[in-house]
Amino acid sequence: MGQVPAATRTLRVLKFLAAQPAPVSLGRLAAACDLPRSTAYHLLAAMVDEGFVVHLPDEHRYGLGVAAFEVGSGFSRQEPLQRLARRQLADLVDATGESAHLVALHGRDVLYLVEERAPGRPPLVTDVGVRLPAHLTASGRAILASLPAAQVRALYPDRSAFVDRHGVGPRSLSALRVLLAETRQRGYATEEGEVTPGLASIASAVLDHNGHPVAGLAVTYTPGGGAASPDPVVAAVRRTAAAVSRRIGGRTAG
Amino acid sequence: MGQVPAATRTLRVLKFLAAQPAPVSLGRLAAACDLPRSTAYHLLAAMVDEGFVVHLPDEHRYGLGVAAFEVGSGFSRQEPLQRLARRQLADLVDATGESAHLVALHGRDVLYLVEERAPGRPPLVTDVGVRLPAHLTASGRAILASLPAAQVRALYPDRSAFVDRHGVGPRSLSALRVLLAETRQRGYATEEGEVTPGLASIASAVLDHNGHPVAGLAVTYTPGGGAASPDPVVAAVRRTAAAVSRRIGGRTAG
DNA sequence: CAGAACCGTCTCGGATACGAGACTCCCCCT
DNA sequence: AGGGGGAGTCTCGTATCCGAGACGGTTCTG
């Protein structure tokens, strides 16, 4: 648990609360975060004081407070990932002649953070701020492939999680697992026509310093559309993802 | 600092980072949060591990990480305040026959969280998700009036912070201070035609258990428009705000 | 080139924060 | 009524986390 248990636990509690659809009781929280009861009270009291948690006395529940919201929008305002990746994405576009983008995983969706369009390329459905189902996009698959299996399972508890856009793509957890295993084996993620018919993508994950994915980075192109073999694109995408990973002190994938 | 210093400090660091327009150096952070340097490293290491902070090694800066974003959107998903206040707002609308809403302060803006329209009343410019300058709205003024003076000053560092919509409203920090002092004296906040000409509002703040405002609650009406004196509305607004405050374990204002 | 300023890492001893546990309410069962 | 489960609060001793400080590296700056 590192060197600052109280801090780590506080953050874990925050993440746990953020993952809940509704405020939870202290019992569930303590159990889920593996906290002694008295410690849970200490922590929650501090979090309430700082406005990160609201206590709902007559429901015996704890929910997220407005400070949590402020922190979240602070991320959007600072755009640390955008700041880091924009230049590298532009270089990638120059090198490949194709459009590139950066996404973050958000629940089961990918959220487009940066988009660099190649001149003379068709506009994409994607745009900054747009969300798409992660399991259908190359960048989403790159992220999912770097997650522990347990987390993927938690994200996709049943078949209803597998929406599709054009009748293609995985429809079950086992199908997704096969896809992600192939992705890891291959060393990069792909998608062909599953987001937009006629367009394909190649993606790789940006990893932080303990190998957890923080973003996905992809190039979208028209397969067979005059472009040469995708091999140089693959190399460029992987190189760029590794470069961005390095800039956040992360490991380089694979 | 309560009983769990490490947790409290972690949260303070998060709030500080969230308030910065760009990633900051460790020196500035340690100074601003009044942390010993080595402690700051301990904390940041834990926060980086949990994904709440990104370290940008070649800029010597620390910024918010994706976990911060997830926590923020967790608040939006849970809607703890909305959950608490919706019913009370509906009762308020029934009692007054006027439209009512709940807002949170976000930077210098108020963000509309819940809106209950009274039947047969004109639609408002406000709608859930809309932002308006806090110093022009009644609910924003109610919140600002409950904040320590130092925080108000920090929010409005210079005249450029004072945008206006219809040429009315405070244009300087001192004018705002007078307005807020009047508000405190009066016991509730008002606004007349500063958001939309021809409409006025009466508001009161929702306070948490240490008296900090977490939301503002207002009724909007047409002044002199056939309605009786605003006194019963004032009483109803204050009663509702106190009721919501109580539901989050807060103090009742005044 | 010297010096200052800052960043990141590490060590280690003392103050203290954390966790076991006891206690009280309150609510929901039979 | 009696019993059980869970919430909230408090105490207290000790294992352990925090902070002073030293060290090395790098970047400015005069």
Side-chain angles (χ1 to χ4, degrees), chain B residues 70-91:
Chain B
E70 277 162 23
V71 165
S73 57
F75 175 80
S76 312
R77 206 178 316 122
Q78 266 184 32
E79 311 199 331
L81 295 179
Q82 289 90 322
R83 199 177 288 258
L84 273 177
R86 183 159 284 129
R87 162 72 71 104
Q88 323 264 358
L89 274 184
D91 292 350

Side-chain angles (χ1 to χ4, degrees), chain B residues 75-243:
Chain B
F75 175 80
S76 312
R77 206 178 316 122
Q78 266 184 32
E79 311 199 331
L81 295 179
Q82 289 90 322
R83 199 177 288 258
L84 273 177
R86 183 159 284 129
R87 162 72 71 104
Q88 323 264 358
L89 274 184
D91 292 350
L92 179 58
V93 169
D94 281 352
T96 61
E98 307 284 351
S99 301
H101 58 254
L102 183 84
V103 309
L105 183 65
H106 190 223
R108 282 191 293 268
D109 292 339
V110 290
L111 174 66
Y112 284 74
L113 297 178
V114 192
E115 175 157 325
E116 284 286 336
R117 278 188 204 160
R121 288 285 140 193
L124 311 171
V125 287
T126 64
D127 200 351
V128 170
V130 161
R131 297 167 181 283
L132 288 176
H135 67 286
L136 296 181
T137 67
S139 38
R141 287 169 180 177
I143 296 177
L144 293 173
S146 317
L147 283 175
Q151 273 194 49
V152 175
R153 193 179 337 120
L155 279 174
Y156 296 90
D158 54 44
R159 288 186 110 78
S160 71
F162 291 91
V163 297
D164 73 309
R165 284 170 65 89
H166 302 287
V168 284
R171 313 279 322 221
S172 71
L173 181 55
S174 51
L176 177 61
R177 278 192 177 137
V178 169
L179 191 67
L180 297 181
E182 287 167 6
T183 300
R184 278 185 291 268
Q185 183 101 29
R186 195 190 303 122
Y188 59 94
T190 63
E191 161 272 322
E192 272 210 43
E194 280 147 298
V195 175
T196 304
L199 288 181
S201 308
I202 288 172
S204 194
V206 175
L207 303 178
D208 69 12
H209 79 125
N210 25 246
H212 289 318
V214 300
L217 191 152
V219 160
T220 299
Y221 63 103
T222 40
S229 112
D231 288 4
V233 173
V234 167
V237 167
R238 297 183 67 176
R239 192 177 350 107
T240 307

Side-chain angles (χ1 to χ4, degrees), chain A residues 10 13-14 17 24 26 29 40-57 61-68, chain B residues 1-2 4 7-8 11-12 15 207-214 245 247-251:
Chain A
T10 306
V13 168
L14 270 183
L17 280 176
V24 298
L26 183 129
L29 186 145
Y41 276 104
H42 285 316
L43 286 183
L44 282 178
M47 296 171 79
V48 168
D49 268 351
E50 296 299 319
F52 279 82
V53 167
V54 218
H55 183 203
L56 318 175
R61 292 281 144 83
Y62 295 83
L64 286 174
V66 287
Chain B
M1 172 125 59
V4 197
T8 303
L11 300 174
R12 296 244 173 102
K15 282 203 272 195
L207 303 178
D208 69 12
H209 79 125
N210 25 246
H212 289 318
V214 300
S245 295
R247 291 202 68 194
I248 62 171
R251 297 188 183 164

